[in-house]
Amino acid sequence: MKNKPLAVTFWILTAVCFAVIFYFSAQTATESSEQSGTILQFIYKIFGENSATVFVVRKGAHFLEYTGTSLVMSAAFYFTIGKNRFHLPILFTSLYAVSDEIHQIFVEGRSCELRDWAIDTLGAVLGAGIFLLFYYIIKKINDFHSRRKNK
């Protein structure tokens, strides 16, 4: 393991992300709408009240949940195996999104939607991409400092 304390920390954060997603998915449609209502009221003041605003806020929440999950999972994989494996957090986060959509079949007023899985998976791609960007920036900085040190 490349860095055990960081690996454990990021795996715990990944589990927390999964638990938060599960918690939100276990809410009935009414509970979910009430929770979104506070955010929607704020957004309505800026963009006006319409169905497009509701769609963007609700799907944006899906997208961002999975972006964050994939980002912390990317770090977990990196600090566990010592290499950046861009595809692994996308794969596992996408699989969790599938299980989340199946879970919602059993929640009152909720449904399993292919569109939501696609949005979640795109969020996972962004999260892994953000990690990849940070990884290469830090690598370039470290390489630069190594070259300066060896001169």
Side-chain angles (χ1 to χ4, degrees), residues 97-119:
V98 169
S99 74
D100 180 53
E101 290 305 313
I102 292 168
H103 166 235
Q104 289 184 49
I105 293 171
F106 304 100
V107 178
E108 181 185 325
R110 303 293 291 266
S111 62
C112 176
E113 296 188 25
L114 183 61
R115 175 184 61 198
D116 285 352
W117 166 80
I119 290 168

Side-chain angles (χ1 to χ4, degrees), residues 78 135-151:
Y78 176 75
Y135 171 82
Y136 282 116
I137 289 171
I138 292 167
K139 187 174 180 339
K140 290 290 183 188
I141 290 169
N142 287 339
D143 290 348
F144 174 76
H145 288 298
S146 292
R147 284 194 304 272
R148 288 190 69 199
K149 222 184 221 181
N150 292 331
K151 284 185 175 183

Side-chain angles (χ1 to χ4, degrees), residues 20-40 57-58 61 65 103-104 106-110:
V20 167
I21 291 168
F22 183 86
Y23 170 78
F24 287 135
S25 292
Q27 294 178 337
T28 65
T30 303
E31 292 169 331
S32 180
S33 292
E34 287 172 0
Q35 196 166 39
S36 301
T38 307
I39 296 167
L40 281 171
V57 168
R58 292 186 65 80
E65 286 174 333
H103 166 235
Q104 289 184 49
F106 304 100
V107 178
E108 181 185 325
R110 303 293 291 266

Side-chain angles (χ1 to χ4, degrees), residues 81-103:
I81 61 178
K83 294 180 182 177
N84 187 20
R85 296 288 188 244
F86 182 74
H87 65 288
L88 291 176
I90 296 169
L91 172 67
F92 287 107
T93 305
S94 181
L95 288 173
Y96 188 79
V98 169
S99 74
D100 180 53
E101 290 305 313
I102 292 168
H103 166 235

Side-chain angles (χ1 to χ4, degrees), residues 42-64:
F42 175 74
I43 301 293
Y44 287 160
K45 289 178 185 175
I46 299 169
F47 298 105
E49 188 171 341
N50 57 59
S51 59
T53 305
V54 173
F55 179 82
V56 168
V57 168
R58 292 186 65 80
K59 300 311 172 187
H62 269 267
F63 185 82
L64 292 175

